[in-house]
Amino acid sequence: MTSPQSASKSTSNDSIMLEIKNQLRVRTGENAVLGPDTNITRDLGLDSLAIMDFIFDLEDSFDISIPMERIAEVQTLSDLAKAIDILQKEAA
Amino acid sequence: MSGIFDKFAPLQEQHAALTAMGRSPADIEFEEILSPTEAILNGKRTVLMGTNNYLGLTFDEDAVDAAIDALKSEGTGTTGSRIANGSYDGHKALEKELAEFYGMRSAILFSTGYQANLGAIAALAGRDDYLLIDADSHASIYDACRLSDAQVIRFRHNDADNLDRKLKRLEGTSGSKIIVIESIYSMLGDMVPLKDFVEVKKKHGAYLLIDEAHSLGVLGDKGRGLCEHEGLEDDIDFITGTFSKSIGTVGGFLVSNLPGLDIVRFVSRPYMFTASPPPSVVASARKTLSRIAGATELRKKLWDNATQLYNGLKGAGFDLGPTLSPIVAIRLKDPEQAIALWNGLLDAGVYTNLALPPATPYGWYLLRSSISAAHTPEQIALAVDVCTKIGKELGFITLSNSKKAYAEDLQGNGHAQLNGASEASSSAAVEAEAVEPPATGGPAARV
C-alpha cells in the first residue's frame, strides 16, 4: 500500500488511475479486472465500509479530502480519477 | 408499470429472512411494560436489556406526577411550533434549567434528539462552512449534513490525527470549520478520545460540537457527560443531547456558551417547522433533569451493573466492544450467529438489540445491550448465563479463541485506534481476567 502523502500534487491522470488500482487491489485481490469504466459499488463486490476505507486511503495518498457530495457523484474509476485530479488542482 | 415498493425488494427479503429465522426486530411488540427493566412479550415476562434507559427513571413517581399535572393543566399537546404558536412557560423554564445544568449561556429545546442534531448542525453550518464528521456518526448527523449547505468531510472513526490532516488541508479557506463527534458511540459503546479532539480543534481554530446522547446522566460527577468527566467543558462549543435515554422521556436540546445562540431558532428548519414538545413531556423532563446532578448512587449502580455484564460476557469468551460502558455489544462473525443468539435470548426472556450492517461499524453483526441502574444482579446474571449457554451450544465461543481475537483486535486491526486506547492499556486489558469496577460517574478502567 502506498504510504500517506506519497503522491505529488501534480500527479498525472495515468498515475492517479495507477494509484487507485493499487489501492483497490489490496481489497479485491490481484486478479480483479479494473478499468476506467469499472463501477465501484456494483462491479467490485466491496461493501460500503470497504469503499469508505478505500476513499480514506486515497485521500492520504493524494493529500486531499474528498467531500461527501463529490463522492456521491462518483460511479466509475474514471469518475474517481477525474474528481481527484480536480481536487488536486483546486488545492494547488 | 412497476410497483412503487419494488425498489425495496432486497430489504423485504432481508426482513422475511429474519422472520423465517424466528422474528424480526421490527415486529417486536410488548403487551405490557411492567417496570424500567421488565415487560410482557408474547405473554412472557421479559428482562429489557436494550432500551437505553440508563438510570431507570421512566417510572419515577415525581416525573410521572409532574407529567400528569401538566397534562391536566395544559392539555395533551402544543399543536404547533414555537415560532408559529408561541412558547409555553415550561419550554422556557426547561431551557433555562438546561443552561444552568451545563453552566452554559443558553439552550434551545428540540422535539426529539434526532431533531436536535438535525436542527443544530444544519443551522450552524452554512454554505461556505465545512462540517467534519466521524465516519461512524449517528444517522441524525448524516441527515443533518444532507440538510446543510456546507461541504461535508468525513474522518476515520475516533481518529484525531486523520481529522488533523483534513483540517490542515482546509487552511487558508474561508468559512467556519465545525467538528461533530459523539461522546459514546451507540453501537459499540466506545468513547471518543476527547482530549485529542480538543487539541486538534484548538490547533485549527475550529468549532467542536459533541453529542452527549448516551452520556448525559451516565458520566461525570454531576452527570453532565463525557466533557465533565474529562474536565474539558470549557473547550466545547456546542453540546447536543436527548431526553430519550437517561431522562426517560422524549426531546432534545442544544446548549452553548457562545453569545447569540438564539438566532438558531430562526434558521433551524427542524426547530421551526415541527410541533414543540407537549407539556407533559416537558414537565417530566424538567423533573428528571433536576435529579441528574444528585443521582450519584444511580450512576454508581449503573456502572456496577455495566461492569457485571461486561465482565460476565468477556469472561465467558465473547468478543465485545473495546470500551467498558453501559452499551455492551457482542461482536459476531455472521448474521446467523447474531440472529440465533438474539432469538435464543428472547426465548429465554431477555430482550436485546439485534444490529446488522450497514447500521453497524466495520460490518459487524452485533448483539447490542444497554444496561440500566434499575437492573438487578440476578437479571444481569440471567442474561450472561443464557448468552453463554447459547454461545456454547452453537459453538461460537471458546475462551482461548476469544481472548486471542481480542488481543489481535486491540493491537493490530484498528480497534485500538477505534478507542484511542494506548498499547499499554490494551495489553493490560488482554492480560486481565476482568476490568476493575469503575468509580462513580465514569469508567475507571477502559479496555
Side-chain angles (χ1 to χ4, degrees), chain B residues 130-393:
Chain B
Y130 296 87
L131 276 167
L132 295 112
I133 68 166
D134 188 285
D136 281 5
S137 288
H138 187 264
S140 57
I141 295 170
Y142 273 104
D143 291 354
C145 292
R146 289 184 173 195
L147 193 60
S148 165
D149 291 324
Q151 274 200 39
V152 181
I153 295 170
R154 272 190 298 203
F155 55 86
R156 288 185 192 272
H157 176 55
N158 271 352
D159 189 337
D161 290 337
N162 190 238
L163 172 65
D164 183 34
R165 292 197 293 278
K166 299 204 163 179
L167 281 165
K168 189 168 186 307
R169 290 171 196 147
L170 293 175
E171 282 176 2
T173 59
S174 59
S176 299
K177 284 80 184 176
I178 304 158
I179 305 161
V180 181
I181 53 176
E182 297 171 45
S183 53
I184 298 178
Y185 284 85
S186 62
M187 283 293 121
L188 284 179
D190 52 327
M191 295 182 203
V192 68
L194 187 58
K195 188 166 175 288
D196 298 343
F197 277 80
V198 165
E199 281 176 15
V200 171
K201 161 241 154 102
K202 285 179 168 176
K203 178 180 169 185
H204 294 281
Y207 293 94
L208 182 58
L209 182 151
I210 182 165
D211 179 354
E212 294 256 26
H214 291 273
S215 44
L216 167 60
V218 168
L219 286 167
D221 287 341
K222 301 293 183 189
R224 293 196 295 270
L226 183 66
C227 302
E228 183 201 2
H229 179 68
E230 299 277 340
L232 294 167
E233 289 175 291
D234 291 345
D235 297 307
I236 308 300
D237 300 292
F238 303 99
I239 294 174
T240 56
T242 180
F243 299 138
S244 63
K245 296 175 172 61
S246 288
I247 304 296
T249 179
V250 66
F253 59 87
L254 165 69
V255 295
S256 176
N257 212 23
L258 295 174
L261 185 75
D262 272 348
I263 195 66
V264 167
R265 297 179 198 275
F266 303 100
V267 291
S268 173
R269 298 172 69 85
Y271 176 87
M272 296 164 69
F273 297 106
T274 197
S276 58
S280 56
V281 164
V282 171
S284 68
R286 290 181 66 193
K287 188 58 74 175
T288 303
L289 181 68
S290 73
R291 282 195 60 179
I292 295 296
T296 308
E297 284 305 309
L298 283 178
R299 271 188 286 287
K300 182 176 185 314
K301 184 73 169 34
L302 171 67
W303 282 97
D304 286 348
N305 285 350
T307 305
Q308 184 190 346
L309 181 63
Y310 192 93
N311 283 346
L313 293 172
K314 187 165 163 252
F318 283 103
D319 179 24
L320 305 181
T323 311
L324 168 62
S325 88
I327 296 168
V328 180
I330 297 175
R331 297 187 288 210
L332 295 154
K333 288 185 169 55
D334 61 55
E336 287 75 21
Q337 289 181 350
I339 294 164
L341 185 54
W342 181 72
N343 275 300
L345 278 161
L346 278 175
D347 291 339
V350 180
Y351 170 77
T352 58
N353 308 129
L354 177 65
L356 306 175
T360 55
Y362 290 81
W364 282 313
Y365 300 90
L366 299 178
L367 190 89
R368 176 192 181 276
S369 56
S370 50
I371 204 76
S372 171
H375 281 123
T376 65
E378 292 74 23
Q379 288 175 324
I380 299 166
L382 170 70
V384 172
D385 289 347
V386 175
C387 277
T388 305
K389 183 169 175 286
I390 297 168
K392 284 180 177 167
E393 280 173 4

Side-chain angles (χ1 to χ4, degrees), chain B residues 84-142:
Chain B
N85 292 21
S87 297
Y88 286 27
D89 280 353
H91 294 136
K92 289 286 189 187
L94 179 51
E95 286 174 341
K96 184 169 178 287
E97 288 154 7
L98 275 166
E100 287 169 358
F101 175 72
Y102 281 102
M104 300 267 190
R105 189 175 266 122
S106 40
I108 298 176
L109 195 58
F110 289 85
S111 298
T112 67
Y114 172 90
Q115 285 170 303
N117 273 341
L118 198 68
I121 294 167
L124 292 169
R127 182 171 298 280
D128 297 326
D129 299 331
Y130 296 87
L131 276 167
L132 295 112
I133 68 166
D134 188 285
D136 281 5
S137 288
H138 187 264
S140 57
I141 295 170
Y142 273 104

